[in-house]
Amino acid sequence: VQLVESGGGLVQPGGSLELSCAASGIFFEVWLLGWYRQAPGKQREMVAITTTRGGTDYADSVKGRFPISLDNTKNTVNLQMTNMNSEDSAVYYCSLRGSRGSYWGQGTQVTVSS
């Protein structure tokens, strides 16, 4: 299984970024995909997840700002980040969970700074 993330970078406060994660090498049932993040000195935390049946869950800190979307035909999960602030700065990881276990991407750095 490969999870390839793209779209990280530097953004100013109040700005937007979109993260994308393309999954490949999947030959089992997938239950959910999502995004997690880890800031320096902090534990990894869930940002947003979506099930393959359409259910979603969000961290309170990003509700209404970071909609997650899943393209089943392309095995791609996207995170549209809007109205960003310095507390959103972290390494963002794509995650997939299914009948064969959990998998992680390599991570992409997101920095919010003026």
Side-chain angles (χ1 to χ4, degrees), residues 12-85:
Q12 292 187 341
S16 300
L17 274 179
E18 183 172 15
L19 302 181
S20 183
C21 174
S24 61
I26 300 171
F27 298 97
F28 52 87
E29 183 181 5
V30 176
W31 299 330
L32 64 86
L33 294 100
W35 291 93
Y36 291 70
R37 67 186 181 188
Q38 187 168 18
K42 294 187 177 181
Q43 290 187 333
R44 189 173 297 189
E45 63 175 355
M46 185 272 288
V47 178
I49 56 175
T50 178
T51 71
T52 51
R53 295 185 179 185
T56 58
D57 194 16
Y58 294 92
D60 288 342
S61 60
V62 307
K63 280 181 181 176
R65 298 191 299 125
F66 289 13
I68 189 171
S69 60
L70 176 64
D71 185 337
N72 280 316
T73 62
K74 297 180 180 179
N75 284 335
T76 300
V77 60
N78 298 315
L79 187 70
Q80 181 66 47
M81 302 186 291
T82 64
N83 192 22
M84 298 179 72
N85 57 63

